[in-house]
């Protein structure tokens, strides 16, 4: 008995090596056998019934045993029988969710408790009076069916609440495989709809998706030694993949994402039909009429709040019907009906190559609806129609991007980017190319090599197939080639520098492409995640685009003056130390101004002081005149906290006087957070030298984000007597990409290879002990890692 219970808890040294369904069968049999032994043979009128997950025979290591001791109300020994079962389980530490009730009492409790009602739908006899157990199961199911109009909306609210609170299995970095949207709870909800006789049983693909999650959950519990959690943690992914026979952690994440999407989509479409049916019944009982079929387009109608095919339409003879129906659904805000989408999946012929104009127009019309297009595209995807239309889509379908920067899988990101681009169709002269470019800009992520280079190859195939003329294909290629251009230039380079502006203008090549790139960049960023777009980034990119547009229009962008009137005035202030805090037009952003006697390492000290005050530097620049230094930093203040000039000034004076140990304080903060589980990024930091700017060298550092990372780098540069004119900081998920415009002490760029190695080694040492991995050199550009 003890050995069996230790295995159930996941604490035994001899856990079964089986995985998947076989493991669940073993655990179910172990629990059943243990309970039969404890229950004994107390005679008729009493039974031990498994409910919930144990009733479904889906236990994992450490799962609670959900049990009802059901009796006929005529026995006097119920407490003794119950104690004989419950106490040994409690003593062993096995989790137990138990109750002792008559059939009537169990049904009464279920009437007021959704969880209890759902648990009884899976009632399974374990021991004792089988007739009594059967009676409980039959009455619970009959009650569920009869009370469906009341209970099913409550069930749907519970599904929606979990989705809001816990996010989606398909898109979370560390999803809860049981509770998150598209998780096992949603599979149970689909079974509950079927048990109410308002929907068919979940299809085979949903059952298979549920098995994927159950299998993964089982091994999560094994790794955690039976601890009650069901999250697929990043740190466990490789081990889980090996246990379950996946090629690697990426393959496991791909399978989980695909499973979550299949489950959530099936719930959405099934519940929509069930809710419509419940409304129709209520309307019919109230004397209302059945709604008529309303035409939405050629061969497409609105029937009972869903987009269905007209009675006389023949999908086999109309390849464009798929996209016409999809566009009609998005325009009307109605879902594609399951009957219609399943019929199209079965009967729709391949699209001609090249596509007819009507097909491409329908696709553009679908994308132009914005958010409404996402659900429709998801429906096409779930039945295989999207891959049939765009075969390259298969390579990005449910492809994970497991980092905090990206919110979605690659394919869902592309759908969301197209939806965000729809808001800007009136701001470009080719809205069709903007929408198509947004839908396809990351298609290369499904293919080997650099995703931009791979994407260009795919666009050169897809564009002609869509029926686009060569000049339009060239525009799409340019959009894919340069879809990162504006974001990287604006956040990693100095947009006041004429070289940056000229480079962007030359890369775009025309005002049309520059404008399309501008709106694609915003759509791409908004579809990436909450940290990828903000007012600060929007303003930088907008300013850069305007300056590049002027260059493309034949204007000459003047070099910014070394000092403007405001800067001259600040440098002339008589105070020894000056600190000002000025709000910027971007939400949560401030300008920090420091004026001080110039000396080596001043920028590093200021960066450290700002870091100690939990201010995130986005950009910092230094100006010098007459022995005085002016440093201006644009910072983000967390939680809308306004920086305190007096505190910053006091910390600056202490740091300059040597009484504030900036490095020690930052190191202590890093140690304070070291005990918490933190995500990590693969690979070593990189140091890249860029000579494109002539008199200055740009040193770009890519490294994991950590407390005071800018301070560490600038201090290393100052220690090598380098003049840092401008520092630009960008955060990408768990990484920072910092760019430093530097000169040697004699005013020239960093040209010598040995000097570059010295600089790179100093930066890497400042970031922590990292082993060099590679060194690549090309004309004017050196990368050291």
């Amino acid at each position: 008995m003890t050995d069996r219970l230790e295995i159930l808890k996941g604490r035994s040294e001899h856990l079964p090596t089986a995985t998947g369904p076989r493991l669940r069968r073993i655990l179910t049999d172990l629990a059943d056998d243990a309970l039969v032994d404890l229950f004994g043979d107390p005679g008729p009128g009493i039974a031990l019934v498994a409910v919930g997950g144990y009733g479904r025979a889906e236990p994992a290591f450490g799962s609670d045993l959900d049990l009802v001791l059901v009796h006929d109300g005529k026995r006097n020994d119920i407490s003794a029988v119950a104690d004989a079962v419950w106490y040994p389980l409690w003593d062993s530490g096995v989790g137990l969710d138990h109750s002792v009730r008559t059939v009537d009492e169990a049904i009464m409790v279920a009437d007021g408790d959704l969880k209890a009602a759902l648990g009884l739908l899976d009632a399974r006899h374990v021991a004792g009076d089988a007739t009594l157990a059967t009676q409980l199961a039959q009455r619970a199911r009959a009650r569920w069916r009869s009370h469906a109009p009341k209970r099913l909306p409550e069930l749907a609210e519970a599904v929606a609440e979990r989705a809001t609170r816990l996010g989606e299995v398909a898109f979370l970095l560390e999803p809860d495989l049981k509770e998150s949207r598209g998780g096992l709870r949603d599979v149970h909800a689909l079974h509950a709809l079927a048990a109410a006789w308002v929907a068919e049983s979940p299809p085979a693909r949903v059952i298979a998706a549920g098995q994927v999650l159950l299998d993964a959950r089982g091994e999560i519990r094994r790794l955690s030694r039976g601890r009650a959690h069901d999250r697929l943690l990043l740190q466990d992914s490789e081990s889980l993949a090996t246990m379950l026979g996946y090629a690697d952690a990426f393959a496991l994440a791909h399978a989980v994402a695909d499973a979550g999407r299949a489950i959530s989509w099936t719930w959405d479409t099934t519940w929509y039909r069930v809710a419509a049916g419940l409304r129709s019944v209520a309307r019919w009982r109230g004397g209302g009429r059945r709604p008529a079929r309303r035409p939405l387009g050629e061969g497409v109608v609105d029937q009972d709040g869903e987009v269905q095919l007209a009675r006389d339409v023949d999908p086999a003879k109309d390849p464009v019907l798929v996209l016409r129906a999809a566009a009609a659904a998005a325009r009307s805000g109605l879902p594609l009906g399951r009957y219609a989408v399943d019929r199209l999946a079965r009967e729709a012929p391949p699209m001609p190559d090249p596509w007819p104009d009507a097909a491409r127009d329908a696709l553009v019309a679908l994308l132009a609806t914005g958010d409404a297009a996402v659900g429709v595209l998801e429906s096409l995807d779930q039945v295989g129609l999207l891959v049939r239309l765009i075969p390259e889509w298969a390579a990005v379908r449910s492809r994970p991007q497991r980092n905090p920067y990206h919110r979605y899988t690659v394919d869902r990101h592309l759908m969301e980017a197209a939806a965000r681009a729809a808001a800007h169709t009136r701001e470009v002269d080719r809205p069709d190319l903007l929408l198509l470019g947004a839908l396809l800009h990351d298609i290369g992520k499904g293919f080997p090599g650099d995703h931009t280079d791979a994407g260009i190859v795919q666009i050169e195939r897809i564009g002609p197939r869509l029926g686009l003329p060569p000049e339009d294909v060239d525009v799409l290629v340019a959009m894919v080639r340069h879809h990162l251009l504006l974001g990287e230039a604006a956040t990693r380079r100095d947009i006041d520098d004429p070289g940056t502006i000229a480079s962007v203008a030359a890369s775009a090549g025309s005002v049309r492409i520059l404008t399309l790139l501008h709106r694609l960049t915003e759509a791409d960023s908004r579809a990436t995640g909450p940290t990828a777009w903000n007012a600060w980034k929007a303003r930088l990119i907008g300013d850069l685009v305007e300056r590049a547009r002027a260059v493309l229009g034949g204007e000459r962008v003047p070099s910014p003056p070394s000092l403007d009137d405001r800067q001259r005035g600040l440098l002339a202030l008589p105070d020894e130390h000056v600190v000002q805090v000025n709000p910027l037009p971007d939400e949560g952003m401030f300008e920090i101004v420091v004026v001080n006697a110039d000396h080596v390492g001043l920028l590093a000290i200021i960066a450290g002081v700002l870091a100690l005050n939990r201010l995130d530097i986005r950009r910092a620049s230094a100006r010098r005149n007459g022995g005085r230094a002016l440093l201006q930093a644009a910072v983000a203040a967390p939680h809308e906290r306004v920086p305190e000039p007096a505190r910053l000034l006091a910390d600056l004076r202490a740091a300059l006087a040597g009484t504030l140990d900036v490095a020690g304080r930052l190191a202590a903060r890093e140690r304070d957070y070291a005990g918490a589980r933190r995500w990590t990024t693969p690979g070593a930091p990189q140091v890249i030298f860029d000579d494109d700017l002539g008199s200055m060298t740009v040193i770009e550092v890519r490294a994991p984000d950590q407390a005071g990372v800018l301070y560490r780098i600038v201090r290393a540069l100052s220690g090598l007597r380098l003049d840092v004119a401008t520092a630009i900081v960008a955060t990408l998920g768990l990484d920072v990409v910092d760019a430093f415009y530097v000169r040697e002490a004699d005013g020239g760029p960093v040209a010598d290879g040995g000097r570059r190695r010295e600089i790179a080694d100093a930066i890497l040492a400042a970031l922590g002990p990292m082993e060099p991995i590679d060194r690549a050199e090309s004309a004017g550009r050196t990368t050291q890692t």
Side-chain angles (χ1 to χ4, degrees):
M1 172 70 72
T2 302
D3 289 344
R4 284 181 294 191
L5 297 180
E6 286 298 304
I7 291 173
L8 289 173
K9 289 190 299 180
R11 304 291 173 81
S12 170
E13 296 301 318
H14 304 288
L15 297 180
T17 58
T19 61
R22 185 161 172 261
L23 174 62
R24 292 190 286 279
R25 184 71 264 166
I26 290 171
L27 295 179
T28 301
D29 290 344
L30 285 171
D32 287 357
D33 291 346
L35 289 169
V36 167
D37 289 348
L38 291 171
F39 191 73
D41 184 15
I46 187 168
L48 195 60
V49 178
V51 297
Y54 179 37
R56 292 187 298 273
E58 295 177 349
F61 295 115
S63 291
D64 290 350
L65 297 182
D66 300 329
L67 295 166
V68 177
L69 186 63
V70 61
H71 61 96
D72 59 9
K74 300 175 182 178
R75 301 183 55 128
N76 297 320
D77 60 346
I78 297 302
S79 294
V81 174
D83 289 349
V85 176
W86 306 155
Y87 276 98
L89 295 176
W90 284 330
D91 291 343
S92 72
V94 170
L96 187 63
D97 189 343
H98 67 288
S99 61
V100 180
R101 296 188 177 107
T102 65
V103 172
D104 286 343
E105 288 170 344
I107 297 302
M108 185 182 304
V109 168
D111 282 346
D113 186 334
L114 178 64
K115 181 181 178 182
L118 293 173
L120 289 177
L121 294 179
D122 298 304
R124 178 176 61 85
H125 172 256
V126 176
D129 191 333
T131 301
L132 196 60
T134 300
Q135 182 184 357
L136 174 62
Q138 290 177 342
R139 285 192 57 186
R141 284 181 167 263
R143 190 76 162 187
W144 179 254
R145 290 193 297 272
S146 65
H147 285 201
K150 172 187 175 184
R151 305 312 299 272
L152 296 186
E154 186 182 359
L155 172 65
E157 288 176 9
V159 172
E161 187 277 331
R162 283 198 312 274
T164 300
R165 179 166 48 90
L166 296 167
E168 298 198 45
V169 165
F171 307 129
L172 285 167
L173 198 61
E174 295 185 332
D176 186 314
L177 303 186
K178 185 177 181 181
E179 301 286 346
S180 296
R181 169 172 159 82
L184 292 168
R185 290 280 192 205
D186 290 358
V187 178
H188 307 157
L190 285 165
H191 282 290
L193 295 182
W197 292 2
V198 297
E200 297 177 351
S201 295
R205 61 195 302 269
V206 169
I207 301 302
Q211 294 295 310
V212 168
L213 301 187
L214 279 170
D215 294 352
R217 178 184 180 235
E219 299 315 296
I220 288 171
R221 291 295 188 91
R222 187 196 300 273
L223 279 180
S224 66
R225 302 287 291 174
R227 187 164 57 89
H229 90 86
D230 302 307
R231 303 194 80 89
L232 177 56
L233 302 178
L234 283 173
Q235 66 191 29
D236 296 337
S237 294
E238 282 295 345
S239 297
L240 291 170
T242 300
M243 293 174 177
L244 293 167
Y246 290 96
D248 51 29
F250 180 88
L252 171 62
H254 193 291
V256 167
D258 201 42
R261 291 176 70 180
I263 293 166
S264 60
W265 178 79
T266 303
W267 166 261
D268 287 346
T269 56
T270 304
W271 172 245
Y272 185 91
R273 297 202 73 184
V274 169
L278 294 175
R279 290 192 298 270
S280 295
V281 169
R283 188 168 54 244
W284 175 76
R285 288 175 176 171
R289 295 181 178 180
R290 183 179 180 82
R293 293 166 64 92
R294 178 171 62 93
L296 294 176
E298 184 184 350
V300 185
V301 298
D302 167 10
Q303 179 178 330
D304 293 339
E306 290 183 318
V307 173
Q308 298 288 1
L309 304 182
R311 291 190 179 96
D312 59 350
V313 74
D314 183 357
K317 297 180 179 178
D318 188 355
V320 183
L321 180 60
V322 169
L323 289 171
R324 282 207 312 277
R331 282 196 303 266
S332 62
L334 300 174
L336 273 172
R338 285 292 296 275
Y339 176 78
V341 78
D342 288 343
R343 187 181 175 197
L344 288 168
R346 288 192 311 269
E347 301 178 24
M351 193 70 73
D353 185 358
W355 286 19
D357 291 347
R360 189 175 63 258
D361 292 345
L363 175 59
V364 170
L366 166 63
L367 300 178
T369 61
D371 286 332
V374 175
V376 177
L377 288 167
E378 189 76 17
S379 291
L380 297 181
D381 175 73
Q382 287 295 322
V383 297
L385 284 169
L386 196 50
V387 168
R388 197 182 308 174
L389 291 167
I390 305 174
E392 293 79 6
W393 198 263
V396 296
R397 189 178 182 279
S398 294
R399 186 177 180 85
Q401 302 186 93
R402 299 198 74 188
N403 58 65
Y405 191 60
H406 286 91
R407 178 188 301 169
Y408 298 114
T409 54
V410 176
D411 57 337
R412 181 60 179 267
H413 167 72
L414 293 174
M415 295 178 191
E416 294 284 343
R420 306 285 80 75
H424 301 290
T425 52
R426 292 185 176 89
E427 301 165 17
V428 297
D429 68 340
R430 289 297 303 271
D432 56 334
L433 296 182
L434 173 62
L435 294 169
L436 292 173
L439 183 68
L440 299 171
H441 73 277
D442 271 345
I443 197 73
K445 285 187 174 180
F447 299 88
D450 178 81
H451 85 276
T452 297
D453 295 338
I456 291 169
V457 173
Q458 302 309 316
I459 292 297
E460 289 172 341
R461 296 170 180 166
I462 296 171
R465 191 190 314 134
L466 295 179
L468 292 170
E471 57 272 21
D472 287 354
V473 175
D474 290 343
V475 172
L476 283 183
V477 166
M479 291 175 69
V480 171
R481 175 177 284 118
H482 299 302
H483 73 278
L484 300 175
L485 172 69
L486 296 180
E488 291 185 349
T491 59
R492 303 184 192 178
R493 293 295 183 266
D494 185 355
I495 66 170
D496 292 328
D497 185 82
T500 299
I501 299 166
S503 175
V504 167
S507 295
S510 70
V511 172
R512 165 179 286 176
I513 291 175
L514 180 67
T515 305
L516 288 169
L517 288 174
H518 186 190
R519 296 312 171 194
L520 172 60
T521 301
E522 179 173 349
D524 183 14
S525 298
R526 289 186 181 277
T528 294
T531 64
W533 189 257
N534 51 45
W536 168 253
K537 184 175 180 179
R539 185 157 63 89
L540 288 177
I541 290 175
D543 289 348
L544 177 59
V545 167
E546 285 304 311
R547 295 167 189 181
R549 180 179 284 113
V551 171
L552 290 169
E555 299 180 26
R556 180 178 176 274
V557 178
S559 299
S562 57
L563 291 171
D564 59 26
D565 291 341
R566 174 173 175 253
Q567 292 166 339
R568 291 181 190 278
L570 288 167
L571 283 167
L573 291 173
D575 301 323
E576 181 184 1
H577 308 293
V578 177
V579 174
Q580 294 181 356
V581 175
N582 305 312
L584 290 171
D586 312 298
E587 184 178 355
M589 296 286 293
F590 296 87
E591 178 195 44
I592 308 295
V593 177
V594 177
V595 182
N596 196 78
D598 191 16
H599 67 80
V600 174
L602 180 60
L603 178 57
I605 292 172
I606 294 172
V609 167
L610 295 179
L612 286 177
N613 283 269
R614 289 180 166 81
L615 298 173
D616 296 329
I617 300 175
R618 300 290 174 81
R619 178 187 176 100
S621 60
R623 301 288 189 274
R624 295 168 177 82
N625 192 37
R628 301 269 281 170
L630 166 67
L631 289 100
Q632 296 167 276
V635 304
H639 312 300
E640 300 181 358
R641 177 172 54 86
V642 178
E644 302 176 24
R647 178 174 178 177
L648 292 173
L649 180 58
D651 285 350
L652 175 62
R653 285 173 170 163
L656 290 170
T659 59
L660 176 62
D661 182 5
V662 176
R665 289 270 298 275
L666 289 174
R669 182 188 299 174
E670 193 71 16
R671 286 194 299 272
D672 289 342
Y673 289 99
R677 180 178 61 82
R678 303 182 65 189
W679 292 318
T680 57
T681 55
Q686 289 185 323
V687 180
I688 300 169
F689 293 84
D690 188 344
D691 282 338
D692 292 341
L693 300 178
S695 63
M696 279 193 287
T697 296
V698 177
I699 301 175
E700 187 175 287
V701 182
R702 304 180 184 186
D705 197 5
Q706 54 187 317
V709 63
L710 179 63
Y711 164 74
R712 299 179 186 200
I713 298 170
V714 176
R715 186 176 63 167
L717 296 175
S718 300
L720 295 172
R721 311 292 295 179
L722 286 169
D723 177 15
V724 181
T726 303
I728 300 170
V729 179
T731 303
L732 299 177
L734 301 177
D735 284 344
V736 293
V737 181
D738 296 350
F740 304 90
Y741 284 66
V742 302
R743 299 185 185 89
E744 293 282 18
D746 61 6
V750 180
D752 179 70
R755 175 66 163 162
R756 292 187 177 197
R757 170 55 68 182
E758 179 188 19
I759 294 169
D761 288 346
I763 292 172
L764 295 175
L767 294 172
M770 297 287 178
E771 290 188 7
I773 59 172
D774 192 14
R775 175 175 178 171
E777 295 189 4
S778 60
R781 189 171 178 87
T782 305
T783 302
Q784 294 177 311
T785 58

